[in-house]
Amino acid sequence: MAVTLTEAAARHVSRYITKRGKGVGVRLGVKTTGCSGLAYKLEYADEIAPEDMVFEGHGVKVLIDPKSLPYIDGTELDFVREGLNEGFKFRNPREKDRCGCGESFRV
């Protein structure tokens, strides 16, 4: 079981944590929502909870709650710039379908 980050994602997270002045990494999970049933949730984490699964890539910690891990195991978190837009992109091999608006997915 693993969740990974690209170098670009790790650089972005590291810069943001430095700018914030605090943080141990990012917390990645899923929530029930949208057309297809699940959506990613990503937030900066200031502490590691006892139940968190911790993965590390390029010096950045990714914290996952055990309930979310079966849906996102194998996911690669990337940070991309496309034209004037930039943001995190999730490459999840478990995704079977994604809704048309891109907000949610199904495994």
Side-chain angles (χ1 to χ4, degrees):
M1 289 191 190
V3 173
T4 59
L5 292 104
T6 64
E7 284 186 54
R11 270 194 313 272
H12 182 77
V13 170
S14 293
R15 279 196 298 259
Y16 190 78
I17 287 174
T18 300
K19 188 176 169 182
R20 269 179 99 218
K22 64 179 180 176
V24 296
V26 290
R27 183 176 309 282
L28 175 60
V30 295
K31 61 183 177 180
T32 305
T33 189
C35 313
S36 296
L38 297 170
Y40 297 104
K41 60 181 183 175
L42 183 69
E43 61 189 12
Y44 289 91
D46 293 330
E47 57 187 44
I48 299 172
E51 67 274 7
D52 283 337
M53 305 284 294
V54 181
F55 300 97
E56 190 166 340
H58 306 286
V60 172
K61 288 182 175 57
V62 181
L63 314 174
I64 314 271
D65 69 271
K67 291 180 183 174
S68 294
L69 188 58
Y71 302 105
I72 57 178
D73 184 29
T75 297
E76 178 184 63
L77 180 60
D78 195 6
F79 189 79
V80 296
R81 288 189 170 92
E82 296 171 344
L84 298 175
N85 298 319
E86 64 180 19
F88 287 102
K89 186 172 199 149
F90 305 94
R91 294 188 184 103
N92 184 347
R94 297 182 182 274
E95 272 188 30
K96 302 285 186 245
D97 192 24
R98 183 173 276 272
C99 74
C101 67
E103 180 185 319
S104 62
F105 68 98
R106 183 175 59 81
V107 292

